[in-house]
Amino acid sequence: MTLETHLRAVREGGRTALVPYVTGGITESWTDLLAAYEAAGADAIEIGLPFSDPMLDGVTIQEASDRSLARGTTVESILSDLAGISVGIPLIAMTYANLALRDGFCARLRAAGVVALVVPDVPLDEVSDLERSAAAAGVELVLLAAPSTPPAKLPEIATRSRGFLYAISRMGTTGEAGELAESATVLADAIRNATDLPVLVGFGVSTPAHAVHAARHADGVVVASTLMRALLDGATPSEVGARVAAMRTALDTMAP
Amino acid sequence: MTLETHLRAVREGGRTALVPYVTGGITESWTDLLAAYEAAGADAIEIGLPFSDPMLDGVTIQEASDRSLARGTTVESILSDLAGISVGIPLIAMTYANLALRDGFCARLRAAGVVALVVPDVPLDEVSDLERSAAAAGVELVLLAAPSTPPAKLPEIATRSRGFLYAISRMGTTGEAGELAESATVLADAIRNATDLPVLVGFGVSTPAHAVHAARHADGVVVASTLMRALLDGATPSEVGARVAAMRTALDTMAP
Amino acid sequence: MRDAPAVDRIRAGQMAEPSTAGRFGGFGGRFVPESLVPACQEVERAFREAWADPRFRGQLDRLLAGYAGRPTALTPAWRLSGDLGITLLLKREDLAHTGSHKINNVLGQALLARRMGKTRLIAETGAGQHGVATATAAALLGMRATVFMGQRDIERQALNVFRMEMLGAEVVPVTSGSRTLKDSCNEAMRHWVGAVEDSYYCIGSVMGPHPYPWMVREFQRVIGDEARTQCATELPAAVPDYVVACVGGGSNAAGTFAGFVDTSARLIGVEAAGGAAMTDGAVGVLHGFRSRVLQDDQGQIAEAHSVAAGLDYPGIGPEHAHLGELGRATYVTVGDDEVVAAVHRLARSEGILCALESAHAVAWVIRAAESGELPPGATVLLTLSGRGDKDMSALMELA
Amino acid sequence: MRDAPAVDRIRAGQMAEPSTAGRFGGFGGRFVPESLVPACQEVERAFREAWADPRFRGQLDRLLAGYAGRPTALTPAWRLSGDLGITLLLKREDLAHTGSHKINNVLGQALLARRMGKTRLIAETGAGQHGVATATAAALLGMRATVFMGQRDIERQALNVFRMEMLGAEVVPVTSGSRTLKDSCNEAMRHWVGAVEDSYYCIGSVMGPHPYPWMVREFQRVIGDEARTQCATELPAAVPDYVVACVGGGSNAAGTFAGFVDTSARLIGVEAAGGAAMTDGAVGVLHGFRSRVLQDDQGQIAEAHSVAAGLDYPGIGPEHAHLGELGRATYVTVGDDEVVAAVHRLARSEGILCALESAHAVAWVIRAAESGELPPGATVLLTLSGRGDKDMSALMELA
Ligand SMILES: Cc1ncc(COP(=O)(O)O)c(C=O)c1O
Ligand SMILES: Cc1ncc(COP(=O)(O)O)c(C=O)c1O
């Protein structure tokens, strides 16, 4: 089953997709988070493969990446950590072009059981090479759209995106936010107008209320910085998992 | 009796004129040096009126000037110090143009009993104004010649110099020296060739031997830095006077 | 150095416009988040229009001449030439306002930004020269300026920080990553994402996403165009045998090369041994473009290390990667010691205190002339990209 | 400011050659020890010959253009002009090689020294700008250089000391007197007495014994001549209403005024309030010339005090004393606070960090425009004598 099929099924089941994030290798026992997320009701998990120069990340994910790299994390080490565990929900890799465009990268992801890939610094116009190698390896390449993306361009992004379409909630980097940006819902609506591919909103989805708000306009949410912040501040995997569970609950009980 | 008549008389008496120097106001009791110099057999005394920017002075006279100025010495204070004493030999003032060209300067000198004036930064070409006011006040304006002065210019310098002609021994500033410069005797000879005005050699006449050497070519010597060095280093007026006396003895007993 | 390429065959069309995708051969492109794609397109559109508009060109030319002091002199380095047995001509970007070639580019971009209706310039800076130039242009045109600068660079270049602040710019310390230039680029880009509405990102070298590498080269080609004309007067053969420039991102080199790419001159780019993206880098993507980049075997970007802060950049402009691949330009490296020696030698022989960056080009010429790699009698045009005032305290510490 | 003098009557013949005795009216002359008279005469003779020799003029012009970066730009200060309701044009000596107008004079004198067969330059320096320029020219022409600098200035201007040393000059600390510029002049003069054979004393302003004030003005008139031509293009009336320059010894002002003395332009020299020889000085003799000099009532030379080290000089060039007496030029003063404020204002409005010395001229224009002393719409040419890099650490301390 592809990620896309999976997310369509989630949507058809009347459920909002919840995709929590973890920076691969951030702690020795980082894979415990995968289990915690799954247990908390996540529908898929995004795993960040840390890059030295994460251009679209705010301070939290930067710090998470730096901490992981300082531990000696490599793409290899993350993928081999995954080999040792089994997760019942799809795994999505997130990383930057300089890592993603290396020879054999997509094939290695697939071999480790990762089914999809998000590369924020490869926009539609630059996507051909990566699209080819992802397709060849059987990895679904998720494209992104931003509030600044002209509506006229959304159909093409949607057509070429695999898995889902990642709606960047705001003109800014990843990072916790006080409110979900107005731009998030505007963009999600526009995307829904252009495609029936599942749409997930990410960037600044920090609280159950944000998630609920986003879910009114999208098929799901990606939650990252708020979880990594908790982890960096010393929360245990189960405490972080509890946050995901809280979101799950909120989403499942939201007013229709 | 003018300074010139006096020095001609010294020469005619077969004697070498010895003119020691003191920076006016260098110590509270600086006028004691005048008595000491007279007692040591000086034929005249040069009194420096300290100037803040003594362009032709080396470190010793600079230090002497600075010390004197720091004590609050002024031209006035020096001249009034002189009013309180009586010296039996001619007094010659030495200072710089910025002081010498002030209104009434020469008249004030004369009133204090100073008969002659040396201003090292007023060369022949600039001398007219000062010449006029010195003449008007009855002060003899002593001109200088240097090793670089073209011989053809010496007659005019000699003609317009009053008192004596000051032969600058070397291309350099005032200051003690190891040897009397070769240029001193060359210049003195050239001046004697051009005039019968008394010729005194100054700058770097530091020892009795220097004085004796200079006296073979000139009518006298001006001795300054070596005496001020001794004074600055703590010598008493009578110790400084003893140095002058030693020069006197050497000059008087010199081989003809 | 390799043999001269078959110049005639490959030089036609060199250093023209990149492809519509912003590629120079396989390099360049626009690897930015989808959020920034429209902003980059807006810049591209505006630049194309402006560059074709004689009024804009006239405005820029007037500022370059009446404000920045162009044309800069071409100075024959007589004494050093004599010592080395060559003819060395120095293109004097050190005489340009603010002290380096950076002002050429910044005036162009600032005018463009104003034309686009932007009221604020964003810039990254390493040594501070591009930051000072940006702050200068902002002051001149009555715009605001925000300059991102690594915390480590802020400490090393306190004077340039103060210059920027005096010019009215806000200097934002960057505390992420290695806290140097590459991190400032990331941070400027991150900031731009949230400020595209009123802010223009003024990039300081032939790097970044399309159209920057092309646009910055066009704004810097005034160096090469002037030098070409000046060489025609100064040299019997009109064109020098060699054209040499230092390469950080590569803007002074690109601007210089652009004036000579269609001639027989050999083009030499000189990188810092500790930041030699051409020699030691691998193909990769950084800061929005594909080029050669210093990186470890995992693809993590490496820090560059050079005595010249302005060359402390792990990448190189995409057009250089292309020129190098074609063999049209050759890229060489010199070490810190040679560079410091070259600053001193140029100072003593010509009375010119050049920037440590520029001294890389000088050091290579000295070495190549002394080793015979530069044949006796060779004529060499060298772009002296900046003056050394900013480096005096660093040189004092080394002395 | 006084009313405009009857310009036509007095301007004819202004700023021509001084009398054979080197007098400008009652000022100037050659008040040096007899020992130095022949050396000064030798300089005068050599200068007269060289200045009449098209080959020498050609050599100098080539260095000024090809090395020092002349002509320097004339920059309309648009934003400040708008704020002040005037038209302000800046003559950009800050863009000249080494960062100030000092290089114009030094190249002239160094060429002259070489022509005279001298192998060594002696110079005094205060802030270090003239010392750096002298060290530069010496390096360029393969001569030795010895620069006298007050111990206190050496401490205040460590960077410029290092620049001179990098250029191969020997910097001699002067520990006499106030250990600042005036004492360095004394010491250089003393040293010259013993070194006239092989050494040339390269004086840094329109001061010293004849022929220096005249010669230095002639070497600096390139500023005024260029500005005159540039104003003819830039201003509808061809000639500005006011011509303004700062005055230390007065060389940049003299060079500027020389280009406009025969016009209707009012000439304004701006002195530091703490070093205002024209306003606060009395006639006297210092460093070989008769002029107005700061001195106490005993005739002892006073120390000048200014935030701008280059204006810390108790005298003023004799020709300025003369122009002031004639009423052809007017001399005004500004205080340190206004000056520092002017540096900041020019930086923020035009993107130009000028030297504290030059900021004196800017400060006066601001004050005079704001007070109405400069009528609305007035056209003003201002010589920006140097760039502010050297002053950054002083400004940082003040900030
Ligand atoms: C004087 C100078 N030269 C060269 C450079 C390197 O830049 P580029 O390679 O873009 O010319 C810099 C960068 O700061 C610089 O300041
Ligand atoms: C930048 C600058 N302007 C002006 C001056 C004052 O000199 P002048 O009055 O001779 O122009 C100096 C002297 O050091 C200077 O450095």
Side-chain angles (χ1 to χ4, degrees):
Chain A
M1 192 167 70
T2 64
L3 175 64
E4 181 175 335
T5 322
H6 174 65
L7 293 175
R8 283 183 185 277
V10 168
R11 174 169 68 191
E12 273 143 37
R15 184 174 149 107
T16 297
L18 175 58
V19 180
Y21 165 98
V22 60
T23 297
I26 185 168
T27 58
E28 174 136 23
S29 55
W30 70 276
T31 51
D32 291 354
L33 275 167
L34 304 180
Y37 287 171
E38 186 177 4
D43 298 295
I45 298 174
E46 186 176 289
I47 301 172
L49 309 182
F51 177 53
S52 52
D53 293 78
M55 181 209 278
L56 199 60
D57 283 304
V59 287
T60 300
I61 306 292
Q62 286 174 45
E63 191 182 333
S65 300
D66 287 349
R67 174 164 323 176
S68 178
L69 288 172
R71 287 190 60 250
T73 299
T74 62
V75 170
E76 243 73 278
S77 75
I78 292 172
L79 297 183
S80 80
D81 286 351
L82 290 180
I85 57 155
S86 91
V87 192
I89 51 177
L91 298 182
I92 306 161
M94 185 282 190
T95 195
Y96 284 84
N98 198 53
L99 301 185
L101 289 167
R102 289 164 72 89
D103 282 348
F105 178 80
C106 292
R108 266 175 284 141
L109 287 187
R110 197 66 191 81
V114 176
V115 298
L117 171 64
V118 180
V119 186
D121 60 345
V122 178
L124 178 68
D125 300 342
E126 294 291 353
V127 89
S128 320
D129 286 353
L130 191 57
E131 201 172 38
R132 248 191 312 276
S133 50
V139 168
E140 295 171 81
L141 183 66
V142 178
L143 302 190
L144 303 92
S148 60
T149 305
K153 210 175 165 188
L154 293 176
E156 193 190 345
I157 295 180
T159 306
R160 292 175 65 180
S161 191
R162 295 285 167 270
F164 63 95
L165 205 158
Y166 195 128
I168 299 177
S169 72
R170 63 182 178 207
M171 290 303 284
T173 60
T174 59
E176 307 89 303
E179 310 234 320
L180 189 70
E182 165 83 19
S183 51
T185 57
V186 174
L187 175 62
D189 290 348
I191 295 175
R192 276 195 162 165
N193 235 9
T195 183
D196 81 334
L197 191 68
V199 182
L200 272 61
V201 171
F203 285 45
V205 179
S206 307
T207 64
H210 294 168
V212 166
H213 185 56
R216 295 214 174 85
H217 304 262
D219 304 309
V221 291
V222 179
V223 183
S225 295
T226 188
L227 303 178
M228 289 304 100
R229 183 77 269 149
L231 194 71
L232 288 166
D233 288 350
T236 60
S238 67
E239 283 163 359
V240 179
R243 290 181 180 244
V244 176
M247 289 208 179
R248 177 78 274 160
T249 309
L251 288 170
D252 290 350
T253 61
M254 77 193 241
Chain B
M1 192 168 66
T2 64
L3 175 63
E4 180 173 335
T5 323
H6 174 64
L7 292 176
R8 282 182 186 276
V10 168
R11 175 167 67 187
E12 275 144 37
R15 185 174 147 106
T16 297
L18 175 59
V19 181
Y21 164 99
V22 60
T23 298
I26 184 168
T27 58
E28 172 132 29
S29 56
W30 70 276
T31 52
D32 292 354
L33 275 167
L34 304 180
Y37 287 170
E38 186 177 5
D43 298 295
I45 297 173
E46 187 176 292
I47 300 173
L49 308 182
F51 178 53
S52 54
D53 293 77
M55 181 208 280
L56 198 60
D57 284 304
V59 287
T60 300
I61 307 292
Q62 287 175 44
E63 190 182 333
S65 300
D66 287 350
R67 174 165 322 177
S68 177
L69 289 172
R71 286 190 60 251
T73 299
T74 63
V75 170
E76 243 75 276
S77 73
I78 291 172
L79 297 182
S80 79
D81 286 349
L82 290 179
I85 58 156
S86 91
V87 192
I89 50 176
L91 299 181
I92 307 161
M94 186 281 190
T95 195
Y96 284 84
N98 198 52
L99 299 186
L101 288 168
R102 289 165 73 88
D103 282 348
F105 177 80
C106 291
R108 267 175 284 142
L109 286 187
R110 196 66 191 82
V114 176
V115 300
L117 173 62
V118 180
V119 187
D121 60 344
V122 178
L124 179 68
D125 301 342
E126 294 291 353
V127 89
S128 321
D129 286 353
L130 192 57
E131 201 172 37
R132 249 190 313 277
S133 52
V139 167
E140 296 171 82
L141 182 65
V142 178
L143 302 190
L144 304 92
S148 60
T149 305
K153 210 176 167 188
L154 293 175
E156 192 190 347
I157 295 180
T159 306
R160 292 175 66 179
S161 190
R162 296 284 167 268
F164 64 94
L165 204 157
Y166 196 127
I168 298 177
S169 73
R170 62 182 180 208
M171 291 302 285
T173 61
T174 59
E176 308 89 303
E179 309 235 320
L180 189 71
E182 166 83 19
S183 52
T185 58
V186 173
L187 175 62
D189 290 348
I191 295 175
R192 276 192 161 167
N193 237 8
T195 183
D196 81 333
L197 189 71
V199 181
L200 270 63
V201 171
F203 285 45
V205 179
S206 306
T207 65
H210 293 168
V212 166
H213 185 57
R216 295 215 174 85
H217 304 262
D219 304 310
V221 291
V222 179
V223 183
S225 295
T226 186
L227 304 177
M228 291 303 98
R229 183 77 269 149
L231 194 72
L232 289 166
D233 288 351
T236 63
S238 67
E239 283 165 355
V240 178
R243 289 178 180 244
V244 176
M247 289 208 178
R248 178 78 275 162
T249 309
L251 288 171
D252 290 350
T253 60
M254 74 189 241
Chain C
M1 244 177 56
R2 319 185 199 165
D3 273 350
V7 170
D8 289 327
R9 186 170 46 76
I10 62 164
R11 77 188 179 200
Q14 272 311 305
M15 301 195 84
E17 237 182 73
S19 73
T20 49
R23 300 283 171 138
F24 303 93
F27 305 100
R30 185 181 284 153
F31 291 88
V32 293
E34 208 61 71
S35 327
L36 283 179
V37 169
C40 292
Q41 287 172 332
E42 187 191 354
V43 171
E44 182 186 346
R45 223 169 15 245
F47 172 65
R48 284 185 188 279
E49 274 173 30
W51 210 225
D53 177 355
R55 277 190 30 257
F56 179 86
R57 302 286 282 246
Q59 259 182 329
L60 179 56
D61 286 349
R62 268 193 303 283
L63 282 188
L64 290 173
Y67 181 72
R70 304 210 70 89
T72 57
L74 186 74
T75 300
W78 291 125
R79 295 184 60 223
L80 189 55
S81 292
D83 287 358
L84 298 176
I86 61 172
T87 298
L88 175 61
L89 301 173
L90 305 174
K91 179 61 176 161
R92 299 288 303 281
E93 296 302 301
D94 60 310
L95 294 176
H97 182 49
T98 71
S100 82
H101 69 292
K102 298 282 179 193
I103 193 73
N104 305 327
N105 165 45
V106 159
L107 288 175
Q109 290 197 51
L111 275 184
L112 185 68
R114 193 177 64 176
R115 185 182 163 104
M116 291 167 70
K118 306 295 180 186
T119 56
R120 176 159 165 269
L121 301 178
I122 300 171
E124 83 292 338
T125 199
Q129 294 300 98
H130 175 60
V132 168
T134 302
T136 295
L140 175 70
L141 301 183
M143 304 174 85
R144 285 174 301 134
T146 303
V147 180
F148 292 87
M149 189 168 182
Q151 182 63 45
R152 257 166 62 191
D153 290 332
I154 285 183
E155 285 153 22
R156 291 190 285 187
Q157 311 278 341
L159 239 53
N160 268 346
V161 174
F162 187 67
R163 284 170 83 193
M164 288 184 259
E165 287 173 348
M166 277 195 64
L167 291 159
E170 175 195 19
V171 179
V172 179
V174 174
T175 53
S176 57
S178 59
R179 292 171 291 131
T180 61
L181 177 57
K182 78 174 180 62
D183 310 285
S184 310
C185 295
N186 294 330
E187 203 58 36
M189 204 80 93
R190 286 174 190 133
H191 184 82
W192 194 29
V193 179
V196 285
E197 216 40 65
D198 68 342
S199 299
Y200 176 94
Y201 182 18
C202 180
I203 296 186
S205 191
V206 284
M207 44 172 272
H210 181 57
Y212 285 95
W214 167 47
M215 176 171 67
V216 175
R217 180 250 283 165
E218 287 302 289
F219 285 141
Q220 291 292 6
R221 75 176 306 135
V222 65
I223 305 174
D225 288 346
E226 285 177 11
R228 175 78 173 269
T229 307
Q230 291 166 321
C231 283
T233 314
E234 205 68 42
L235 293 174
V239 166
D241 300 326
Y242 292 80
V243 169
V244 187
C246 71
V247 174
S251 66
N252 87 87
T256 306
F257 292 177
F260 294 92
V261 71
D262 63 341
T263 72
S264 59
R266 292 193 194 200
L267 310 178
I268 314 283
V270 187
E271 291 191 285
M278 285 300 279
T279 303
D280 301 328
V283 173
V285 173
L286 180 68
H287 299 146
F289 63 106
R290 189 167 183 276
S291 186
R292 303 192 74 88
V293 185
L294 290 182
Q295 46 190 310
D296 67 16
D297 56 8
Q298 298 295 323
Q300 303 297 346
I301 305 305
E303 270 182 63
H305 292 287
S306 163
V307 68
L311 304 187
D312 260 353
Y313 184 67
I316 184 169
E319 192 166 22
H320 287 293
H322 180 52
L323 291 171
E325 194 170 78
L326 289 176
R328 178 62 193 97
T330 306
Y331 296 83
V332 296
T333 67
V334 294
D336 285 356
D337 291 351
E338 288 171 286
V339 165
V340 172
V343 171
H344 282 94
R345 184 149 176 194
L346 191 71
R348 284 180 182 236
S349 66
E350 310 300 329
I352 299 174
L353 283 166
C354 72
L356 283 166
E357 289 80 7
S358 323
H360 281 71
V362 179
W364 181 80
V365 168
I366 291 171
R367 188 217 289 161
E370 290 179 345
S371 72
E373 191 174 349
L374 273 180
T379 55
V380 179
L381 171 84
L382 185 158
T383 294
L384 215 61
S385 56
R387 67 187 184 219
D389 299 53
K390 69 181 179 62
D391 298 319
M392 284 301 115
S393 48
L395 285 167
M396 271 174 90
E397 278 169 30
L398 288 172
Chain D
M1 248 178 54
R2 317 184 200 164
D3 273 351
V7 169
D8 289 327
R9 185 172 45 75
I10 61 163
R11 77 187 180 199
Q14 272 313 305
M15 301 195 83
E17 238 181 73
S19 74
T20 50
R23 299 284 170 140
F24 303 92
F27 304 99
R30 186 181 283 152
F31 291 88
V32 293
E34 208 62 71
S35 326
L36 283 179
V37 169
C40 292
Q41 288 171 331
E42 187 192 354
V43 172
E44 182 186 346
R45 224 166 19 241
F47 172 64
R48 284 187 189 280
E49 275 173 29
W51 210 225
D53 177 355
R55 276 188 33 254
F56 179 86
R57 302 286 282 246
Q59 259 182 328
L60 179 56
D61 287 348
R62 268 192 303 283
L63 281 188
L64 290 173
Y67 181 72
R70 302 210 72 87
T72 57
L74 186 76
T75 301
W78 291 126
R79 296 184 59 219
L80 189 55
S81 292
D83 288 357
L84 298 176
I86 60 172
T87 298
L88 176 60
L89 302 173
L90 306 174
K91 179 63 177 160
R92 301 288 303 282
E93 295 302 300
D94 62 308
L95 294 176
H97 182 48
T98 72
S100 81
H101 68 293
K102 298 282 178 191
I103 193 73
N104 305 328
N105 166 44
V106 160
L107 287 176
Q109 290 197 53
L111 274 185
L112 186 67
R114 192 176 66 175
R115 184 181 163 107
M116 292 167 70
K118 307 293 181 189
T119 55
R120 178 160 164 268
L121 302 177
I122 299 170
E124 82 291 338
T125 200
Q129 293 300 97
H130 175 59
V132 168
T134 302
T136 295
L140 176 68
L141 301 183
M143 305 174 85
R144 284 173 302 135
T146 303
V147 180
F148 292 88
M149 188 167 183
Q151 182 63 46
R152 256 167 61 193
D153 290 332
I154 285 183
E155 285 153 21
R156 290 190 286 186
Q157 309 280 339
L159 240 53
N160 267 346
V161 174
F162 186 67
R163 283 170 82 192
M164 290 184 259
E165 289 174 346
M166 277 196 63
L167 291 158
E170 176 195 19
V171 180
V172 179
V174 174
T175 54
S176 57
S178 57
R179 292 170 292 131
T180 61
L181 177 56
K182 80 176 178 60
D183 310 284
S184 309
C185 294
N186 295 329
E187 204 56 36
M189 206 77 96
R190 288 173 190 133
H191 184 83
W192 194 30
V193 179
V196 285
E197 218 38 66
D198 68 342
S199 298
Y200 176 95
Y201 182 17
C202 181
I203 296 186
S205 191
V206 285
M207 44 171 272
H210 180 57
Y212 285 95
W214 167 46
M215 175 171 69
V216 174
R217 179 251 281 165
E218 287 301 289
F219 286 141
Q220 291 292 7
R221 75 176 306 136
V222 65
I223 304 174
D225 288 345
E226 284 177 11
R228 175 79 173 270
T229 308
Q230 290 165 321
C231 283
T233 315
E234 205 68 42
L235 294 175
V239 165
D241 301 327
Y242 292 80
V243 169
V244 187
C246 70
V247 174
S251 66
N252 86 85
T256 306
F257 291 178
F260 294 92
V261 72
D262 64 342
T263 73
S264 59
R266 294 195 192 197
L267 310 179
I268 314 283
V270 187
E271 290 191 286
M278 285 302 279
T279 303
D280 301 329
V283 174
V285 173
L286 181 68
H287 299 147
F289 63 104
R290 190 168 181 275
S291 186
R292 301 193 76 88
V293 186
L294 290 182
Q295 47 191 308
D296 66 17
D297 56 8
Q298 298 295 322
Q300 304 296 347
I301 305 305
E303 269 180 65
H305 291 288
S306 162
V307 69
L311 304 188
D312 260 352
Y313 184 68
I316 184 169
E319 192 165 23
H320 288 293
H322 180 53
L323 290 171
E325 196 171 76
L326 289 176
R328 178 63 192 97
T330 306
Y331 296 83
V332 296
T333 66
V334 294
D336 285 355
D337 290 352
E338 288 170 287
V339 166
V340 171
V343 171
H344 283 95
R345 183 148 177 195
L346 191 71
R348 285 183 182 235
S349 68
E350 308 301 326
I352 298 175
L353 284 166
C354 73
L356 283 166
E357 289 80 7
S358 323
H360 282 70
V362 179
W364 180 80
V365 168
I366 291 171
R367 189 217 289 161
E370 289 179 347
S371 72
E373 189 176 350
L374 272 180
T379 55
V380 180
L381 171 84
L382 185 159
T383 293
L384 215 61
S385 56
R387 67 185 185 220
D389 298 53
K390 69 181 180 60
D391 298 319
M392 284 301 116
S393 48
L395 287 166
M396 271 174 89
E397 277 169 32
L398 289 171

